[in-house]
Amino acid sequence: MRPIIGISCCVKAFGIFNTPNHAASDSYVRVVLGPANGVPVLLPAAGESLAPQILPRLDGLILTGSRSNVWPGHYDGPDHAEGTPEDQQRDATTLPLIRAAIAEGVPLLAICRGMQELNVALGGSLDQRIQDLPGRMDHSTPSDQPIPLVRTGKAHAVRLAPDGLLHELAGRTEVPVNSLHNQGVQRLAPRLEAMGWAPDGTVEAVRVRQAPGFAWGVQWHPEYDWEKDAFSRRIFEAFGEACAARAARPQPRVAALREAAE
């Protein structure tokens, strides 16, 4: 059986009546079906009660990117600038889901907004507009950029920790990545360890220390170029292998029946 991998959804308005919909980009579905070799399941932004109901049925979890920012009330930050998109239904779903997934050892891969959620869920804080800070780069690409290769192309290098797991996957200490975010890590959560940095010092990759399962976050979008970029593909293959290992483990009820039979 292929592992069941949950994909976090945002709440977005669709149609002429702006009807709220729960949505995730097709790129996440395709990468789960592809190098992660799993079965994708979209997780609605249904609130805190989702975590205990859905986690026992999942073998992995992808936290997706999004245009919306994590609500600053979750990390005691200042109010967002007027017009900044928020998705508090998603926040209410993903933050407890992250903590529960880590505690249960469910493999977790957090991408862009997902990495920001991971940091906040574990007690870290965020800068809301990195480009406004002295000495920092503009990490955003305009969402209305009409040329896909410009919008999702490589934007800057990331320096990888020489003894880190990402360095092991990449086989080198520096990799080029795309960049489509305004928010970024301000204070790193105590349980997180940085595995990569942008030229301006922005944390670009993390892992959860002493997590019982795979628990990584990347600030860029490897789902955009895994078909052409070997490093992006290896990230999803490593995640998929962790998900497959969890799916193959004996279930508690099955294990108990085996012990009784013996």
Side-chain angles (χ1 to χ4, degrees), residues 8-81:
S8 65
C9 285
C10 300
V11 177
K12 298 182 178 182
F14 282 92
I16 59 174
F17 300 112
N18 290 323
T19 304
N21 280 241
H22 297 259
S25 170
D26 178 61
S27 59
Y28 297 104
V29 173
R30 289 189 293 105
V31 83
V32 168
L33 291 170
N37 195 32
V39 177
V41 175
L42 302 188
L43 305 180
E48 185 172 357
S49 62
L50 182 69
Q53 300 298 322
I54 195 64
L55 269 181
R57 296 168 169 83
L58 295 180
D59 302 307
L61 174 63
I62 289 181
L63 298 165
T64 61
S66 175
R67 289 190 65 192
S68 65
N69 281 11
V70 179
W71 182 56
H74 291 299
Y75 56 90
D76 295 327
D79 291 342
H80 282 137

Side-chain angles (χ1 to χ4, degrees), residues 85-96:
E86 296 179 349
D87 189 345
Q88 293 193 42
Q89 282 183 242
R90 170 169 169 156
D91 297 339
T93 306
T94 54
L95 298 183

Side-chain angles (χ1 to χ4, degrees), residues 115 158-160 166 185 188 193-198 202-207 216-220 231:
M115 189 183 113
V158 164
R159 175 175 54 87
L160 301 176
L166 280 176
V185 170
L188 195 64
E193 175 185 320
M195 295 196 294
W197 301 265
T202 298
V203 175
E204 290 275 338
V206 298
R207 74 177 185 94
W216 296 6
V218 294
Q219 188 57 77
W220 64 91
F231 178 54

Side-chain angles (χ1 to χ4, degrees), residues 236-252:
F236 288 109
E237 288 172 345
F239 170 66
E241 289 168 6
C243 296
R246 182 171 178 83
R249 79 199 191 288
Q251 299 295 322

